[in-house]
Short mmCIF file of all heavy atoms in Angstrom, two decimals:
data_model
loop_
_atom_site.label_atom_id
_atom_site.label_comp_id
_atom_site.label_asym_id
_atom_site.label_seq_id
_atom_site.Cartn_x
_atom_site.Cartn_y
_atom_site.Cartn_z
N TRP A 1 75.10 186.05 105.66
CA TRP A 1 73.94 186.87 105.26
C TRP A 1 73.59 186.51 103.82
O TRP A 1 74.47 186.49 102.95
CB TRP A 1 74.25 188.35 105.36
CG TRP A 1 74.22 188.91 106.73
CD1 TRP A 1 75.29 189.13 107.56
CD2 TRP A 1 73.07 189.33 107.46
NE1 TRP A 1 74.85 189.67 108.75
CE2 TRP A 1 73.50 189.80 108.72
CE3 TRP A 1 71.69 189.37 107.17
CZ2 TRP A 1 72.61 190.30 109.69
CZ3 TRP A 1 70.83 189.86 108.13
CH2 TRP A 1 71.29 190.31 109.37
N PHE A 2 72.31 186.25 103.62
CA PHE A 2 71.81 185.89 102.30
C PHE A 2 70.65 186.82 101.97
O PHE A 2 70.04 187.40 102.86
CB PHE A 2 71.34 184.43 102.30
CG PHE A 2 72.44 183.46 102.62
CD1 PHE A 2 72.79 183.19 103.94
CD2 PHE A 2 73.14 182.82 101.62
CE1 PHE A 2 73.82 182.31 104.25
CE2 PHE A 2 74.18 181.94 101.92
CZ PHE A 2 74.51 181.69 103.23
N ARG A 3 70.33 186.93 100.70
CA ARG A 3 69.19 187.73 100.32
C ARG A 3 68.45 187.07 99.17
O ARG A 3 69.03 186.29 98.40
CB ARG A 3 69.62 189.15 99.93
CG ARG A 3 70.46 189.24 98.66
CD ARG A 3 70.95 190.68 98.47
NE ARG A 3 71.74 190.82 97.25
CZ ARG A 3 72.39 191.93 96.91
NH1 ARG A 3 72.33 193.01 97.71
NH2 ARG A 3 73.08 191.98 95.80
N GLN A 4 67.18 187.37 99.11
CA GLN A 4 66.36 186.84 98.02
C GLN A 4 65.34 187.88 97.62
O GLN A 4 64.56 188.36 98.46
CB GLN A 4 65.66 185.54 98.43
CG GLN A 4 64.98 184.85 97.27
CD GLN A 4 64.62 183.42 97.57
OE1 GLN A 4 64.51 183.01 98.72
NE2 GLN A 4 64.44 182.62 96.53
N ALA A 5 65.37 188.23 96.36
CA ALA A 5 64.40 189.15 95.80
C ALA A 5 63.31 188.35 95.09
O ALA A 5 63.56 187.21 94.66
CB ALA A 5 65.09 190.10 94.81
N PRO A 6 62.12 188.91 94.94
CA PRO A 6 61.05 188.19 94.26
C PRO A 6 61.47 187.74 92.87
O PRO A 6 62.01 188.50 92.08
CB PRO A 6 59.93 189.24 94.19
CG PRO A 6 60.20 190.16 95.33
CD PRO A 6 61.69 190.22 95.44
N GLY A 7 61.23 186.46 92.59
CA GLY A 7 61.54 185.92 91.28
C GLY A 7 63.01 185.61 91.05
O GLY A 7 63.39 185.21 89.95
N LYS A 8 63.82 185.79 92.08
CA LYS A 8 65.26 185.52 91.94
C LYS A 8 65.70 184.45 92.92
O LYS A 8 65.05 184.21 93.93
CB LYS A 8 66.06 186.80 92.16
CG LYS A 8 65.82 187.87 91.11
CD LYS A 8 66.79 189.02 91.27
CE LYS A 8 66.61 190.05 90.17
NZ LYS A 8 67.57 191.18 90.32
N GLU A 9 66.82 183.85 92.62
CA GLU A 9 67.37 182.84 93.52
C GLU A 9 68.02 183.51 94.73
O GLU A 9 68.45 184.66 94.68
CB GLU A 9 68.41 181.99 92.78
CG GLU A 9 67.83 181.11 91.70
CD GLU A 9 68.85 180.15 91.14
OE1 GLU A 9 70.03 180.21 91.53
OE2 GLU A 9 68.47 179.34 90.29
N ARG A 10 68.09 182.76 95.82
CA ARG A 10 68.78 183.23 97.01
C ARG A 10 70.26 183.43 96.70
O ARG A 10 70.87 182.61 96.02
CB ARG A 10 68.60 182.23 98.14
CG ARG A 10 69.23 182.63 99.46
CD ARG A 10 68.82 181.67 100.55
NE ARG A 10 69.04 180.29 100.17
CZ ARG A 10 68.60 179.25 100.87
NH1 ARG A 10 67.88 179.44 101.95
NH2 ARG A 10 68.86 178.03 100.47
N GLU A 11 70.81 184.50 97.22
CA GLU A 11 72.19 184.88 96.94
C GLU A 11 72.96 185.04 98.24
O GLU A 11 72.46 185.71 99.17
CB GLU A 11 72.21 186.19 96.16
CG GLU A 11 73.58 186.79 95.94
CD GLU A 11 73.54 188.19 95.35
OE1 GLU A 11 72.48 188.84 95.44
OE2 GLU A 11 74.57 188.65 94.83
N GLY A 12 74.14 184.48 98.31
CA GLY A 12 75.01 184.71 99.46
C GLY A 12 75.61 186.10 99.34
O GLY A 12 76.21 186.42 98.32
N VAL A 13 75.46 186.92 100.36
CA VAL A 13 75.91 188.30 100.34
C VAL A 13 77.25 188.46 101.04
O VAL A 13 78.19 189.04 100.50
CB VAL A 13 74.87 189.21 100.99
CG1 VAL A 13 75.36 190.65 101.08
CG2 VAL A 13 73.55 189.16 100.22
N SER A 14 77.33 187.94 102.26
CA SER A 14 78.55 188.08 103.04
C SER A 14 78.54 187.03 104.13
O SER A 14 77.48 186.51 104.51
CB SER A 14 78.62 189.47 103.68
OG SER A 14 79.82 189.63 104.40
N CYS A 15 79.72 186.70 104.64
CA CYS A 15 79.80 185.74 105.72
C CYS A 15 81.05 186.02 106.55
O CYS A 15 81.98 186.68 106.09
CB CYS A 15 79.80 184.31 105.20
SG CYS A 15 81.12 183.96 104.02
N ILE A 16 81.04 185.48 107.77
CA ILE A 16 82.14 185.72 108.69
C ILE A 16 82.38 184.46 109.50
O ILE A 16 81.44 183.74 109.87
CB ILE A 16 81.83 186.94 109.60
CG1 ILE A 16 83.03 187.33 110.44
CG2 ILE A 16 80.59 186.68 110.47
CD1 ILE A 16 82.85 188.69 111.12
N SER A 17 83.63 184.18 109.78
CA SER A 17 83.98 182.99 110.55
C SER A 17 83.68 183.20 112.03
O SER A 17 83.43 184.32 112.48
CB SER A 17 85.46 182.67 110.37
OG SER A 17 86.25 183.75 110.87
N GLY A 18 83.72 182.09 112.78
CA GLY A 18 83.44 182.16 114.21
C GLY A 18 84.40 183.08 114.94
O GLY A 18 84.00 183.79 115.88
N SER A 19 85.64 183.11 114.52
CA SER A 19 86.63 183.98 115.16
C SER A 19 86.52 185.42 114.70
O SER A 19 87.10 186.31 115.31
CB SER A 19 88.04 183.47 114.84
OG SER A 19 88.31 183.64 113.46
N GLY A 20 85.82 185.62 113.60
CA GLY A 20 85.74 186.96 113.01
C GLY A 20 86.91 187.29 112.11
O GLY A 20 86.92 188.34 111.47
N GLY A 21 87.87 186.38 112.02
CA GLY A 21 89.07 186.67 111.27
C GLY A 21 88.96 186.47 109.77
O GLY A 21 89.81 186.94 109.01
N THR A 22 87.93 185.77 109.35
CA THR A 22 87.72 185.52 107.92
C THR A 22 86.38 186.06 107.50
O THR A 22 85.37 185.77 108.13
CB THR A 22 87.77 184.01 107.61
OG1 THR A 22 88.99 183.46 108.10
CG2 THR A 22 87.65 183.76 106.12
N THR A 23 86.38 186.86 106.46
CA THR A 23 85.14 187.38 105.92
C THR A 23 85.13 187.19 104.41
O THR A 23 86.19 187.12 103.77
CB THR A 23 84.95 188.88 106.23
OG1 THR A 23 86.07 189.61 105.70
CG2 THR A 23 84.86 189.13 107.73
N MET A 24 83.94 187.11 103.86
CA MET A 24 83.78 186.97 102.42
C MET A 24 82.62 187.85 101.98
O MET A 24 81.67 188.06 102.75
CB MET A 24 83.51 185.52 102.03
CG MET A 24 84.62 184.55 102.38
SD MET A 24 84.18 182.83 102.02
CE MET A 24 84.04 182.88 100.24
N TYR A 25 82.69 188.32 100.73
CA TYR A 25 81.65 189.16 100.18
C TYR A 25 81.36 188.75 98.74
O TYR A 25 82.27 188.40 97.98
CB TYR A 25 82.07 190.64 100.19
CG TYR A 25 82.31 191.19 101.57
CD1 TYR A 25 83.57 191.15 102.15
CD2 TYR A 25 81.26 191.73 102.31
CE1 TYR A 25 83.80 191.65 103.42
CE2 TYR A 25 81.48 192.23 103.59
CZ TYR A 25 82.75 192.18 104.13
OH TYR A 25 82.95 192.66 105.40
N ALA A 26 80.10 188.84 98.38
CA ALA A 26 79.74 188.70 96.98
C ALA A 26 80.32 189.88 96.20
O ALA A 26 80.44 190.99 96.74
CB ALA A 26 78.23 188.66 96.82
N ASP A 27 80.66 189.64 94.96
CA ASP A 27 81.24 190.72 94.14
C ASP A 27 80.31 191.92 94.06
O ASP A 27 80.76 193.07 94.00
CB ASP A 27 81.53 190.20 92.73
CG ASP A 27 82.72 189.27 92.69
OD1 ASP A 27 83.51 189.25 93.67
OD2 ASP A 27 82.85 188.54 91.69
N SER A 28 79.01 191.65 94.09
CA SER A 28 78.02 192.73 93.93
C SER A 28 77.98 193.69 95.11
O SER A 28 77.43 194.79 94.98
CB SER A 28 76.63 192.13 93.71
OG SER A 28 76.28 191.28 94.80
N VAL A 29 78.57 193.30 96.24
CA VAL A 29 78.50 194.17 97.42
C VAL A 29 79.88 194.56 97.96
O VAL A 29 79.96 195.33 98.91
CB VAL A 29 77.69 193.51 98.56
CG1 VAL A 29 76.31 193.09 98.05
CG2 VAL A 29 78.42 192.33 99.17
N LYS A 30 80.92 194.06 97.35
CA LYS A 30 82.28 194.38 97.82
C LYS A 30 82.51 195.88 97.81
O LYS A 30 82.18 196.56 96.84
CB LYS A 30 83.32 193.69 96.95
CG LYS A 30 83.59 192.26 97.31
CD LYS A 30 84.66 191.64 96.42
CE LYS A 30 84.86 190.18 96.75
NZ LYS A 30 85.81 189.53 95.82
N GLY A 31 83.09 196.36 98.90
CA GLY A 31 83.36 197.79 99.01
C GLY A 31 82.19 198.60 99.51
O GLY A 31 82.35 199.78 99.82
N ARG A 32 81.02 197.99 99.59
CA ARG A 32 79.82 198.70 100.06
C ARG A 32 79.28 198.12 101.35
O ARG A 32 78.72 198.85 102.16
CB ARG A 32 78.73 198.65 98.98
CG ARG A 32 79.12 199.27 97.67
CD ARG A 32 77.94 199.37 96.72
NE ARG A 32 77.37 198.08 96.39
CZ ARG A 32 76.08 197.75 96.63
NH1 ARG A 32 75.27 198.61 97.23
NH2 ARG A 32 75.63 196.56 96.27
N PHE A 33 79.42 196.81 101.54
CA PHE A 33 78.90 196.13 102.74
C PHE A 33 80.06 195.69 103.61
O PHE A 33 81.13 195.32 103.12
CB PHE A 33 78.08 194.90 102.34
CG PHE A 33 76.77 195.18 101.67
CD1 PHE A 33 76.43 196.45 101.22
CD2 PHE A 33 75.85 194.15 101.50
CE1 PHE A 33 75.22 196.69 100.61
CE2 PHE A 33 74.62 194.37 100.89
CZ PHE A 33 74.31 195.64 100.44
N THR A 34 79.82 195.72 104.92
CA THR A 34 80.82 195.25 105.88
C THR A 34 80.14 194.37 106.92
O THR A 34 79.16 194.80 107.54
CB THR A 34 81.51 196.42 106.59
OG1 THR A 34 82.13 197.28 105.61
CG2 THR A 34 82.58 195.91 107.55
N ILE A 35 80.66 193.19 107.10
CA ILE A 35 80.12 192.27 108.11
C ILE A 35 81.02 192.31 109.34
O ILE A 35 82.25 192.45 109.23
CB ILE A 35 80.01 190.84 107.54
CG1 ILE A 35 79.20 189.95 108.47
CG2 ILE A 35 81.38 190.24 107.26
CD1 ILE A 35 78.83 188.59 107.85
N SER A 36 80.41 192.20 110.50
CA SER A 36 81.18 192.19 111.75
C SER A 36 80.39 191.39 112.78
O SER A 36 79.20 191.10 112.58
CB SER A 36 81.45 193.60 112.25
OG SER A 36 80.23 194.27 112.55
N ARG A 37 81.04 191.07 113.87
CA ARG A 37 80.34 190.32 114.90
C ARG A 37 80.80 190.80 116.28
O ARG A 37 81.96 191.23 116.45
CB ARG A 37 80.58 188.81 114.75
CG ARG A 37 82.00 188.34 114.93
CD ARG A 37 82.13 186.87 114.50
NE ARG A 37 81.27 186.02 115.29
CZ ARG A 37 80.75 184.86 114.87
NH1 ARG A 37 81.04 184.42 113.65
NH2 ARG A 37 79.99 184.14 115.65
N ASP A 38 79.88 190.69 117.21
CA ASP A 38 80.15 190.99 118.61
C ASP A 38 79.69 189.78 119.39
O ASP A 38 78.50 189.66 119.74
CB ASP A 38 79.41 192.26 119.04
CG ASP A 38 79.76 192.68 120.45
OD1 ASP A 38 80.27 191.86 121.23
OD2 ASP A 38 79.50 193.86 120.79
#
């Protein structure tokens, strides 16, 4: 998941591996956002 606000660069927010076993979060969203897959 990526995001881009007007006038700002695109930012990686969160990501998840194919198995779902590995996730990553940008520091700005840690503890607030959760990625999952079905």
Side-chain angles (χ1 to χ4, degrees):
W1 282 98
F2 299 83
R3 67 186 181 186
Q4 189 165 21
K8 295 188 177 180
E9 292 188 356
R10 182 172 51 190
E11 173 189 19
V13 175
S14 182
C15 57
I16 188 168
S17 63
S19 67
T22 305
T23 58
M24 298 175 65
Y25 297 91
D27 288 344
S28 57
V29 306
K30 277 181 183 175
R32 301 188 299 121
F33 290 12
T34 302
I35 192 169
S36 62
R37 64 190 300 153
D38 185 341

